[in-house]
Amino acid sequence: MVSISKTFLPLNTQGGNNQMPVIGFGTYTISDEKIILNVLDVALGAGYRLIDTAAVYNNEQYIKEALKVLLPKYHLKREDLFITSKLAPKDHGDEKQVTAAVQRSLDNLGTSYLDLYLIHWPGAGRIDAKSPENSKLRNLTWKTLMKLHDNGNGSLKNIGVSNYTVKHIKEMLADPTNIVPAVNQS
């Protein structure tokens, strides 16, 4: 039997940790503190080492509290986990806004770094999906994430996207100064 905590996938990345556990535990729709504690207890006990969350899931702070209890229980350190979070569509664009959103996630999760941080959705909040403004905001957002990534030396060890289409990826890579996303999570 293969241990899920020891099977990794390579990331398309510059700098940072270039491996991600092959199986992760998603926390979408779990926004109750007691349930987060219980499910993460079972997940860590079963060998899961990747925890996936997002700002819009409204559970990052509960994950922090659960990990305060569970890491010692399983003789784990923060470095033993791979934590992914995502930027909310409402926080696209402005460098200060993106940076503040990243810092909120770091604070909510009680960590100085995230192993993977994704742009959760290619469209910005409260803007029509067909608006050309989305393209501009995606690019500004990506530039900020690249700064926070700092070739794997920043608070975001890997950066990527979520729910992007081929069109969105091609648009991003048309700018030769942009790095290739580590992942496109769907």
Side-chain angles (χ1 to χ4, degrees), residues 12 23 32 35 40 94 103 112 115 127-128 131 138 148 152 163 173:
N12 183 23
I23 297 175
D32 178 89
I35 294 174
L40 287 180
D94 177 75
Q103 190 60 54
S112 61
D115 299 283
I127 295 178
D128 185 271
S131 170
R138 277 193 297 274
L148 296 169
N163 301 298
L173 297 179

Side-chain angles (χ1 to χ4, degrees), residues 4-78:
I4 61 174
S5 65
K6 295 183 181 175
T7 307
F8 297 89
L9 290 172
L11 293 172
N12 183 23
T13 189
Q14 293 183 342
N17 178 0
N18 64 356
Q19 293 191 73
M20 178 173 91
V22 70
I23 297 175
F25 188 81
T27 62
Y28 176 59
T29 74
I30 308 172
S31 57
D32 178 89
E33 187 171 10
K34 288 181 183 178
I35 294 174
I36 284 284
L37 176 63
N38 291 335
V39 297
L40 287 180
D41 191 3
V42 171
L44 292 174
Y48 284 84
R49 296 299 180 259
L50 186 158
I51 299 170
D52 180 87
T53 188
V56 298
Y57 299 173
N58 294 313
N59 63 16
E60 291 174 328
Q61 67 280 8
Y62 300 145
I63 292 169
K64 172 176 79 174
E65 295 306 317
L67 292 178
K68 283 181 185 177
V69 172
L70 298 174
L71 290 180
K73 177 180 179 177
Y74 291 102
H75 308 288
L76 297 170
K77 294 180 245 163
R78 163 62 182 95

Side-chain angles (χ1 to χ4, degrees), residues 1-2 21 25-26 37 39 49 58 60 62 71 81 87 111 130 136-137 159 163 168 170 177 185-186:
M1 181 173 176
V2 176
F25 188 81
L37 176 63
V39 297
R49 296 299 180 259
N58 294 313
E60 291 174 328
Y62 300 145
L71 290 180
L81 300 180
L87 180 76
T111 186
K130 294 179 183 172
K136 177 183 167 192
L137 293 172
I159 55 174
N163 301 298
H168 299 126
K170 284 183 178 180
T177 65
Q185 184 187 73
S186 54

Side-chain angles (χ1 to χ4, degrees), residues 8 18-19 28-29 46 54 63 69 82-84 90 92 94-95 105 112 118 123 125 127 138 147 158 161 172 179 186:
F8 297 89
N18 64 356
Q19 293 191 73
Y28 176 59
T29 74
I63 292 169
V69 172
F82 190 99
I83 301 176
T84 300
K90 71 178 181 65
H92 283 225
D94 177 75
E95 183 173 346
S105 284
S112 61
L118 308 172
I127 295 178
R138 277 193 297 274
K147 285 181 184 178
N158 296 282
V161 295
M172 175 187 279
I179 64 171
S186 54

Side-chain angles (χ1 to χ4, degrees), residues 163-175:
N163 301 298
Y164 272 44
T165 66
V166 171
K167 173 189 162 242
H168 299 126
I169 298 288
K170 284 183 178 180
E171 176 186 274
M172 175 187 279
L173 297 179
D175 181 339

